[in-house]
Structures are given as C-alpha cells and as structure tokens.
C-alpha cells in the first residue's frame, strides 16, 4: 500500500474508533440519565415558548468550535466507561436500565474489536475484556459471561511475563477467576466454581502478604495505606466468596473455617479503612447466615449483632456517601434475622421461667 493510502487508512480507522467511543459515551450517559429518572420525582422544566425560542435563535451568536485534546477525550471516555458504566451495570436488573446497559455492552464489544489488535500484550486490553465480562455477568447471561471471562484470561495470558507479575495486573486475574466462579456457580457447576474461587483467594493472599504488617505490629498512624486497604478488601472478599461456595457444596465445616480465617485476619489488624470494614461486616454476616442454617442460633445472633453494630458505627463516622448507603442497606438486611432470633430466644426463656414455679 502506498504511504499516502496507508496514512488515509490509519486516519479512517482512528476516526471509526473515536466514533464508537463517542457512541459508548452517549449510551452510558443515557443509562445514567435513566437511573436518575428512576429515582427522581421532580417535574421536567417547561419548554420555552415558540416566540422566545425564535428570538434566541436569531440573536445567539454561532458557537466557536472547541478543540478537545486527545488526553481530555481519553479521560472522559475512561470515566464514562469504567466508572459510570460499571455502576450502570451493577443495577442492570432495573427494567428501565436493562436495555441501555445491553446497548452499552454491544458498543463496547464493537470498540474492543476495533482496538484489540493494537492493544495485544497490554494490560488495557485485559481491563477492557474484564469490564465487558463483568457487565455480561451483571446482565445474568451466565454462559456468555463465562466465555467473556475466558477471553479476558486469554488476553492476560498474552501479556509479557514481567507485565503479568505487576500488582494491578494480578488483581485483574483474581477478578477474572472470581467473576467466572460466580457465573459457574449460577450455572450449577459447583466444582468449577470452587476451583476458581480457590485460585482467586491464592492470588489475593500473595498480594496481601506483600503489604501486610508483620504479626503483632501496629499500623502506622493516620489513614490506612491505600495499597494495604485494597489488598485487605480483596482477600476478605475472596474468603467470603469461597466460604459461601463451600456451603453450597454442602461442606459447612469447611465453609465455617474459611470464613473464620477471613474474620481472624481482619481482627489481627488494629485499624480498618471504611472499605475494609464493609468487607469485614459482610464476613460476619456470612458466618451468621451459615450458623443459622446449621441450627446454631446463638452463634448466628452473635455474629449478626456484631455486624449490625459495626454498620451503625461506620455509618455515623464516615462522610463517604457510598459507604453510608451500603452500611444502611446491610443493616436493614440484618434486622429481620436479628429480630426473629431475639424474639424466639425471649419466648423460650419466658417459657422456662413459667415452668419453674410449677415444678417447685
């Protein structure tokens, strides 16, 4: 191909990628707008009158073209796709959002096809493939999501060995294993899910060991280091996922040991970040659920009450709106079980007290 034709083809291909990226951005914003409409009862502003609109059209000066740098465009695309797009996917089950999220996924698949060749051997390709797999999982398309996670794993395997050993890249591998495990569990493939959850925990344990303080040593003053907080959140999450999967596999003893291992790890730290506390709360809740199903009601109540108390403390001590929302939801989910067990135990104690005078 002559140099001039090659340059034209390159420009056209880049323009096509940009067009797809712009369509993804519009789709994500549309999903976000639908989410806002679902939660807002305010009336839409009234339209301007025809006369007023005509006056504005006649007097308004034509807008000057705005030059947008590639860096600014890339930052906006990143925020829309990986931040806002992820949040839209997490609530994809909402009827008003499902179609918009499906459209976002289709456009992202188209974008991936355009950039896949240029990103081969780069972590960005793994990140994009993982994002698509997560969205597919959120849409509850379990079989298709498993295939998407396999594609993300293949992209990971294509990375140079040195890149595969980077912390952020290994975290993506753990997320791939965890995400596929969740889908396999929903498909009824418990053995496959157990193996994948085990791989995820193994990766997270190794990453946690790199930043964890020595046993018995207090953390430095101030906020928990971001690297430690992130590693701890990941390993607490993996302990819970594996334990819950082991319970589904009808191995409650193994599940109890796994979840308790995560709880003990959290208790060895003298201070937790809000994110770490959330994962610790969920571990306590999972142990309470397990004990309840095993008939150990006092143990279930003890763990649920501890989790609920932590929810209240964390909710009142943080200004992070996301954390406050999550603790509020978790607390409300814990309340029915706590109240039911408390009432049951109070009734049993009252019955015992009534029997004692009759026996005397």
């Amino acid at each position: 191909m002559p140099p001039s034709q090659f340059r034209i083809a390159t420009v056209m291909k880049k323009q096509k990628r940009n067009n797809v990226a712009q369509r993804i951005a519009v789709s994500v914003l549309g999903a976000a707008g639908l989410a806002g409409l679902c939660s807002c009862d305010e009336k839409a502003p009234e339209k301007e009158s025809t006369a007023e609109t005509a006056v504005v059209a006649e007097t308004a000066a034509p807008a000057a073209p705005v030059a947008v740098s590639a860096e600014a465009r890339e930052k906006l695309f990143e925020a829309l796709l990986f931040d806002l797009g992820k949040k839209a996917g997490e609530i994809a089950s909402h009827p008003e959002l499902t179609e918009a999220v499906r459209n976002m996924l289709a456009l992202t698949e188209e974008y991936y096809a355009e950039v896949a060749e240029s990103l081969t051997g780069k972590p960005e390709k793994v990140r994009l493939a993982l994002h698509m797999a997560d969205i597919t999982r959120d849409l509850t398309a379990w079989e298709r999501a498993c295939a998407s996670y396999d594609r993300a794993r293949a992209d990971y395997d294509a990375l140079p060995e040195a890149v595969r050993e980077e912390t952020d890249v290994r975290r993506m591998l753990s997320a791939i294993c965890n995400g596929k495990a969740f889908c396999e569990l929903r498909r009824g493939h418990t053995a496959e899910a157990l193996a994948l959850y085990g791989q995820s925990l193994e990766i997270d344990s190794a990453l946690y060991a790199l930043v964890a303080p020595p046993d018995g040593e207090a953390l430095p003053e101030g906020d928990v280091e971001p690297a430690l907080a992130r590693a701890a959140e990941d390993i607490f999450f993996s302990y819970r996922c594996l334990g819950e999967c082991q319970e589904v596999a009808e191995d409650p003893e193994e599940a109890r040991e796994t979840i308790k291992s995560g709880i003990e790890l959290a208790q060895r730290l003298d201070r937790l970040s809000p994110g770490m506390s959330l994962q610790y709360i969920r571990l306590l809740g999972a142990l309470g659920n397990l004990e309840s199903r095993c008939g150990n009601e006092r143990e279930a109540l003890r763990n649920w009450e501890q989790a609920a108390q932590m929810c209240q403390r964390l909710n009142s001590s943080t200004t992070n709106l996301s954390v406050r929302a999550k603790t509020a939801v978790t607390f409300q989910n814990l309340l029915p079980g706590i109240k039911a067990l408390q009432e049951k135990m109070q009734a049993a104690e009252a019955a015992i007290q009534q029997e004692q005078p009759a026996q005397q």
Side-chain angles (χ1 to χ4, degrees):
M1 180 184 297
S4 59
Q5 292 183 11
F6 177 78
R7 284 195 297 271
I8 293 172
T10 302
V11 170
M12 291 179 65
K13 191 171 183 179
K14 184 176 180 180
Q15 183 62 43
K16 186 176 181 181
R17 287 202 302 268
N18 288 340
N19 290 339
V20 175
Q22 289 172 1
R23 288 159 59 199
I24 292 174
V26 171
S27 176
V28 173
L29 287 172
L34 284 172
L37 288 174
C38 295
S39 59
C40 180
D41 294 328
E42 294 181 2
K43 295 182 180 179
E46 296 181 359
K47 295 182 179 179
E48 297 176 343
S49 66
T50 306
E52 291 173 339
T53 305
V55 171
V56 172
E58 291 175 0
T59 58
V66 178
V68 181
S69 68
E71 182 181 359
R73 187 185 298 111
E74 185 66 24
K75 286 182 179 179
L76 176 61
F77 178 68
E78 284 265 322
L80 289 173
L81 181 60
F82 293 107
D83 294 338
L84 191 56
K86 177 178 175 60
K87 293 186 183 301
E90 290 172 353
I91 52 176
S93 59
H94 201 291
E96 283 84 354
L97 279 174
T98 303
E99 191 59 36
V101 172
R102 284 176 179 164
N103 184 48
M104 178 184 69
L105 177 60
L107 291 173
T108 309
E109 293 274 3
E110 185 179 343
Y111 178 77
Y112 176 88
E114 288 292 328
V115 301
E117 184 179 351
S118 63
L119 292 181
T120 298
K122 298 179 181 179
E124 290 82 356
K125 187 177 183 181
V126 184
R127 185 187 181 201
L128 185 58
L130 173 60
H131 178 69
M132 291 187 295
D134 286 343
I135 298 297
T136 309
R137 175 202 60 198
D138 294 336
L139 289 167
T140 68
W142 310 126
E143 186 172 353
R144 183 182 171 190
C146 284
S148 294
Y149 283 115
D150 286 340
R151 176 176 58 188
R153 178 59 189 263
D155 289 341
Y156 168 85
D157 290 337
L159 296 174
E161 183 176 357
V163 177
R164 291 200 303 269
E165 292 303 310
E166 295 176 3
T167 296
D168 287 342
V169 177
R170 292 170 71 187
R171 288 186 74 238
M172 286 195 288
L173 177 59
S174 174
I176 291 169
C177 294
N178 189 286
K180 187 179 179 184
F182 183 86
C183 298
E184 293 287 16
L185 194 59
R186 291 300 179 273
R187 296 173 68 194
H189 302 164
T190 309
E192 291 84 347
L194 281 170
L196 287 163
Y197 276 135
Q199 291 176 30
S200 181
L201 177 58
E202 184 178 350
I203 295 168
D204 291 337
S205 298
L207 293 177
Y208 178 76
L210 295 175
V211 294
D215 288 341
E217 185 173 312
L219 296 177
E221 293 295 327
D223 294 337
V224 178
E225 288 291 331
L228 173 59
R230 187 169 61 179
E233 288 176 39
D234 288 345
I235 194 171
F236 296 165
F237 176 65
S238 286
Y239 270 120
R240 177 168 60 85
C241 290
L242 179 58
E244 290 175 339
C245 186
Q246 289 167 336
E247 185 184 359
V248 173
E250 300 182 354
D251 193 348
E253 290 299 325
E254 191 73 19
R256 183 180 290 107
E257 289 303 313
T258 297
I259 296 173
K260 281 187 174 181
S261 295
I263 290 173
E264 291 167 1
L265 187 63
Q267 291 173 340
R268 286 203 293 269
L269 296 169
D270 62 326
R271 193 166 64 261
L272 302 177
S273 70
M276 294 161 69
S277 296
L278 273 173
Q279 294 299 338
Y280 180 28
I281 288 168
R282 289 168 179 166
L283 277 168
L284 291 169
L287 184 57
N289 296 340
L290 173 62
E291 298 295 5
S292 176
R293 284 188 281 265
C294 291
N296 303 324
E297 294 177 340
R298 291 192 179 277
E299 280 298 304
L301 182 59
R302 184 177 66 83
N303 284 285
W304 283 344
E305 286 180 335
Q306 185 179 351
Q309 290 164 5
M310 286 188 64
C311 279
Q312 289 177 311
R313 289 197 298 269
L314 182 56
N315 187 277
S316 62
S317 65
T318 183
T319 57
N320 187 307
L321 295 180
S322 176
V323 173
R324 295 186 70 176
K326 290 175 181 177
T327 52
V329 170
T330 303
F331 182 79
Q332 291 301 322
N333 290 338
L334 289 167
L335 273 186
I338 292 174
K339 289 183 176 179
L341 284 185
Q342 287 176 339
E343 291 171 0
K344 184 176 181 179
M345 291 180 181
Q346 289 170 359
E349 290 174 1
I352 292 173
Q353 291 174 358
Q354 288 177 353
E355 290 176 2
Q356 287 176 348
Q359 293 173 353
Q360 289 174 357

